[in-house]
Amino acid sequence: MNQTLYWAAAVLVMAVVTYIPRVLPLSLMRKKVKSQFLQSFLYYMPYAVLGAMTFPAILYATATPWSAVAGFAAALLLSFAGLNLLPVALVSTGTVFLVEWLMRLW
Amino acid sequence: MGREAQVKESPGRIRRFWEGFRYGLPVTLGYVPVSFAFAVTATAGGLPWYVVLMISITNFTSAGQAAGGNLMLTGAPLPEIGVTVFVINIRYMLMSMSLSQKMTGMALWKKLLLANGVTDEIFFLAMQKKGNLSGWLFAGLAAGPYGGWVLGTLLGALLGAALPPSLSSALGIALYAMFIAIVVPPSKKSKPIAFATLIAVGLSCLFRYMPGLRLVPSGWALILSAVAASALLALRFPVHQAQEEGEAA
């Protein structure tokens, strides 16, 4: 297959398989769920998804696990201190950068 | 749409859109470095800048497009790309399910459009809003981060080569730091939520490190961890709708 055509097709495939899971439940579930179990299940879902997405994946998000641990600790600390999304992301990124820079000095 | 609905809705549309936009501003800014990092990696690997940009414009998702981009670089067959990206994105089904409960009664065409805005962070912010969601608010909430995502990608794809690798490595953590900033405050306030988060984390560690379980593809592992943790908490600490909305306030 021609290279450009391959890229275009791949991008299209990715777009479709990204849209499907986003749109299906949203457009098909038109009513409020009655079951208390399901209501509760959906209530806890966001936190569970985010938790499982973050850890342990965060440990492998940078060049070395050491800098990742440092960035993770910084993010955790600042979040518990009540800081907003953006400062947490910035300080955590800065921490990773600093730790990796220090590691290169040795 | 009925005339009454229009009369009722029109004065608030812009206001609600802006309310959503302002509410989503931290995510808007946070997405710039994250998509920047994606674009740097993808262009460094050999994808042309316009292909990388098109991926962000049409996908608007972090993990899925990173994996898809990598596969494209290896020339993987299309079905493999499709299945991999889909598996990573199955989590959106769960989010979309939760979100549907806050959009009952919304016109289908609006949902078809707004579904494009379901990302981890936007979903999460939307769920913190009390009661039913206004389509315009959600549109504003999604529009800013989408702009940030596309802008960051463009900058990364064009300027990325000039960047030291240490900086792109550091940017890799920004997305996860945002997740933490999102999940910690509600976990601090509610013990069951903290349990749900921690149990899911524990399960996801099992899937990562346990022999045997390690073989489960990461997209499925994520779904299984999240479903098991939420189901457990739903059985142990059932929530009433009224209570939930009170808490979210």
Side-chain angles (χ1 to χ4, degrees), chain A residues 33-40:
Chain A
V33 171
K34 289 281 183 334
S35 132
Q36 200 199 9
F37 172 76
L38 265 185
Q39 275 182 20
S40 314

mmCIF file of all heavy atoms in Angstrom, chain A residues 33-40:
data_model
loop_
_atom_site.group_PDB
_atom_site.id
_atom_site.type_symbol
_atom_site.label_atom_id
_atom_site.label_comp_id
_atom_site.label_asym_id
_atom_site.label_seq_id
_atom_site.Cartn_x
_atom_site.Cartn_y
_atom_site.Cartn_z
ATOM 1 N N VAL A 33 -30.863 4.981 35.088
ATOM 2 C CA VAL A 33 -30.786 3.609 35.575
ATOM 3 C C VAL A 33 -31.546 3.519 36.892
ATOM 4 O O VAL A 33 -31.400 4.371 37.761
ATOM 5 C CB VAL A 33 -29.308 3.227 35.795
ATOM 6 C CG1 VAL A 33 -29.202 1.898 36.504
ATOM 7 C CG2 VAL A 33 -28.580 3.199 34.473
ATOM 8 N N LYS A 34 -32.409 2.476 37.031
ATOM 9 C CA LYS A 34 -33.220 2.354 38.241
ATOM 10 C C LYS A 34 -32.497 1.580 39.342
ATOM 11 O O LYS A 34 -32.629 1.887 40.510
ATOM 12 C CB LYS A 34 -34.549 1.650 37.909
ATOM 13 C CG LYS A 34 -35.510 2.503 37.077
ATOM 14 C CD LYS A 34 -36.213 3.498 37.976
ATOM 15 C CE LYS A 34 -37.252 4.350 37.270
ATOM 16 N NZ LYS A 34 -37.097 4.581 35.838
ATOM 17 N N SER A 35 -31.765 0.556 38.919
ATOM 18 C CA SER A 35 -31.162 -0.316 39.918
ATOM 19 C C SER A 35 -30.166 0.439 40.798
ATOM 20 O O SER A 35 -29.310 1.178 40.293
ATOM 21 C CB SER A 35 -30.467 -1.482 39.219
ATOM 22 O OG SER A 35 -29.164 -1.669 39.714
ATOM 23 N N GLN A 36 -30.301 0.226 42.110
ATOM 24 C CA GLN A 36 -29.412 0.947 43.005
ATOM 25 C C GLN A 36 -27.976 0.460 42.861
ATOM 26 O O GLN A 36 -27.032 1.238 42.976
ATOM 27 C CB GLN A 36 -29.877 0.779 44.450
ATOM 28 C CG GLN A 36 -29.298 1.866 45.318
ATOM 29 C CD GLN A 36 -29.324 1.534 46.782
ATOM 30 O OE1 GLN A 36 -29.627 0.420 47.196
ATOM 31 N NE2 GLN A 36 -29.017 2.520 47.587
ATOM 32 N N PHE A 37 -27.856 -0.835 42.569
ATOM 33 C CA PHE A 37 -26.506 -1.369 42.374
ATOM 34 C C PHE A 37 -25.817 -0.682 41.197
ATOM 35 O O PHE A 37 -24.687 -0.208 41.314
ATOM 36 C CB PHE A 37 -26.548 -2.877 42.145
ATOM 37 C CG PHE A 37 -25.213 -3.432 41.751
ATOM 38 C CD1 PHE A 37 -24.215 -3.607 42.690
ATOM 39 C CD2 PHE A 37 -24.935 -3.742 40.423
ATOM 40 C CE1 PHE A 37 -22.967 -4.092 42.323
ATOM 41 C CE2 PHE A 37 -23.692 -4.225 40.049
ATOM 42 C CZ PHE A 37 -22.710 -4.402 41.004
ATOM 43 N N LEU A 38 -26.526 -0.599 40.072
ATOM 44 C CA LEU A 38 -25.929 0.018 38.888
ATOM 45 C C LEU A 38 -25.619 1.492 39.109
ATOM 46 O O LEU A 38 -24.583 1.993 38.687
ATOM 47 C CB LEU A 38 -26.861 -0.140 37.684
ATOM 48 C CG LEU A 38 -26.568 -1.345 36.804
ATOM 49 C CD1 LEU A 38 -27.474 -1.335 35.585
ATOM 50 C CD2 LEU A 38 -25.102 -1.329 36.369
ATOM 51 N N GLN A 39 -26.534 2.172 39.800
ATOM 52 C CA GLN A 39 -26.290 3.584 40.123
ATOM 53 C C GLN A 39 -25.000 3.734 40.915
ATOM 54 O O GLN A 39 -24.169 4.591 40.623
ATOM 55 C CB GLN A 39 -27.435 4.129 40.970
ATOM 56 C CG GLN A 39 -28.612 4.626 40.187
ATOM 57 C CD GLN A 39 -29.676 5.203 41.099
ATOM 58 O OE1 GLN A 39 -29.412 5.564 42.242
ATOM 59 N NE2 GLN A 39 -30.886 5.281 40.599
ATOM 60 N N SER A 40 -24.856 2.886 41.918
ATOM 61 C CA SER A 40 -23.673 2.969 42.762
ATOM 62 C C SER A 40 -22.427 2.588 41.972
ATOM 63 O O SER A 40 -21.380 3.224 42.088
ATOM 64 C CB SER A 40 -23.802 2.031 43.967
ATOM 65 O OG SER A 40 -25.069 2.163 44.545
#
